[in-house]
Amino acid sequence: MRSAQRRSGRAQPSLAQRLEEHRDFHFRRMPSRRIKSERDALGFINEVGFCAAFTAGMGLPCIREAVAGEREPEMPEHIQHDYAIGVTWRLKDVLPARREVYYGKALGGRPGFISLELLPAFLKLRIQPGGYLAMYRQGHLGHCAKLVMDALTRRGAAETRALKLSSGHSSPGRRAAFDGAMKELQEKFLALKIEERADPFTYVWDTLAHQWGEAIRASRSMRASEAAYRIVSRYFEVAAYGNERAIARLLAIPAVLVDSASRRLEREGRIVRDQKIDRIAGRYAVVSEYL
């Protein structure tokens, strides 16, 4: 193929171009593969394992991109008129309500989806033994987040206003602290949003233990190194390349576990580490088929 390209005078696509074409296909950033239905969306999430909901450009698949069928579609001034955002907004309600996927602020601090297959692996790496009280005593959970968990554990699912009152964060001056606590609880897989009510508009929250107890139990039989391997392996299958430190930050996996998973993938011949990609700063692990 390369000799034919030289004879024809056509330049061979650069490594960066080929890697982005890989992402175009697997991220469905192309009209011929775009998401057109709820069934398509569920198949996409199960295929990629985990993806962003609305935020493109994170190095992850993104539902909004896949609905639009293009790379990083521009965010409109009036998002209510954007087709891809509207579809994604509906999917984030419908699919989790059917318990077909997990949805929450779990990827890079942004809303995202996780397949049921990989959910136990994420739980293994995020949920600490002893529950939220042990995390709080060890300084791994904020005070407001602890108070919210107290309320949810005591009373069950609750609306946002009730949680603000229970935690003593109902005043406008404490809104930022409360919002930060809810983000922290989602990132640490302790609480999640289970419903949006329209009149008046509010969210309903519950503990992960109550909503996804089976997945938590499944996570307990898994070694942390195996959980990291499953996640990192799927990442490279879908994304084709990545900086290991950035992957650790994005997926909130300890860097030592990402390193261990990458070394295993390299031994298996599936990736080549410490590579330079033309016109992209930094060093990357790259799936071996492109090298």
Side-chain angles (χ1 to χ4, degrees), residues 124-125 222-231 257 260-261 264:
K124 180 65 179 183
L125 299 174
M222 191 181 303
R223 294 174 57 190
S225 59
E226 182 61 27
Y229 174 79
R230 293 184 187 185
I231 295 169
L257 291 178
S260 175
R264 178 175 168 183

Side-chain angles (χ1 to χ4, degrees), residues 119-128 219-224 227:
L119 180 57
F122 276 95
L123 298 181
K124 180 65 179 183
L125 299 174
R126 301 276 187 94
I127 297 179
Q128 297 184 21
S219 74
R220 290 173 183 154
S221 63
M222 191 181 303
R223 294 174 57 190

Side-chain angles (χ1 to χ4, degrees), residues 15-271:
L15 176 59
Q17 288 174 313
R18 287 181 287 135
L19 292 173
E20 286 306 315
E21 287 170 0
H22 178 105
R23 287 189 174 186
D24 286 341
F25 181 84
H26 289 280
F27 289 15
R28 301 201 186 192
R29 303 185 306 194
M30 50 202 311
S32 63
R33 282 179 52 77
R34 71 182 185 86
I35 289 172
K36 299 178 182 179
S37 66
E38 292 175 9
R39 182 177 178 180
D40 284 350
L42 179 59
F44 173 68
I45 295 167
N46 287 335
E47 179 182 309
V48 299
F50 47 94
C51 61
F54 300 95
T55 309
M58 296 172 63
L60 291 175
C62 171
I63 288 283
R64 183 171 70 93
E65 274 189 320
V67 171
E70 62 179 284
R71 292 184 192 176
E72 298 189 33
E74 185 177 351
M75 185 66 74
E77 182 178 354
H78 303 289
I79 61 173
Q80 64 269 28
H81 301 308
D82 184 270
Y83 172 76
I85 292 176
V87 170
T88 304
W89 193 269
R90 185 172 69 253
L91 290 171
K92 77 173 178 58
D93 294 329
V94 172
L95 297 182
R98 295 177 186 159
R99 302 185 67 78
E100 293 177 323
V101 300
Y102 179 89
Y103 177 80
K105 287 186 178 179
L107 304 170
R110 302 298 182 92
F113 296 88
I114 300 174
S115 71
L116 300 189
E117 176 193 0
L118 286 183
L119 180 57
F122 276 95
L123 298 181
K124 180 65 179 183
L125 299 174
R126 301 276 187 94
I127 297 179
Q128 297 184 21
Y132 80 94
L133 290 175
M135 294 174 66
Y136 179 68
R137 288 193 294 268
Q138 295 164 13
H140 298 152
L141 187 69
H143 184 61
C144 180
K146 185 262 186 189
L147 294 175
V148 170
M149 284 299 295
D150 286 343
L152 288 173
T153 302
R154 182 174 62 251
R155 62 182 295 173
E159 294 183 354
T160 300
R161 177 167 174 75
L163 293 176
K164 286 181 176 179
L165 289 168
S166 298
S167 65
H169 285 71
S170 59
S171 65
R174 296 195 171 188
R175 177 175 178 176
F178 180 83
D179 290 347
M182 302 313 292
K183 181 173 181 287
E184 180 184 10
L185 290 173
Q186 291 180 79
E187 290 176 342
K188 293 177 177 176
F189 285 95
L190 291 171
L192 73 161
K193 182 169 52 182
I194 61 169
E195 186 182 348
E196 292 182 6
R197 294 179 180 169
D199 189 21
F201 182 81
T202 188
Y203 298 137
V204 181
W205 304 84
D206 201 357
T207 65
L208 203 90
H210 181 244
Q211 292 290 319
W212 292 99
E214 185 176 343
I216 292 174
R217 288 189 290 274
S219 74
R220 290 173 183 154
S221 63
M222 191 181 303
R223 294 174 57 190
S225 59
E226 182 61 27
Y229 174 79
R230 293 184 187 185
I231 295 169
V232 174
S233 174
R234 185 67 63 88
Y235 177 88
F236 280 112
E237 286 175 12
V238 174
Y241 72 99
N243 177 279
E244 292 168 39
R245 290 185 180 180
I247 292 170
R249 290 193 299 270
L250 179 65
L251 302 181
I253 300 175
V256 65
L257 291 178
V258 173
D259 178 76
S260 175
S262 297
R263 289 179 183 276
R264 178 175 168 183
L265 290 168
E266 187 173 44
R267 288 195 303 271
E268 294 170 348
R270 296 173 59 188
I271 66 172

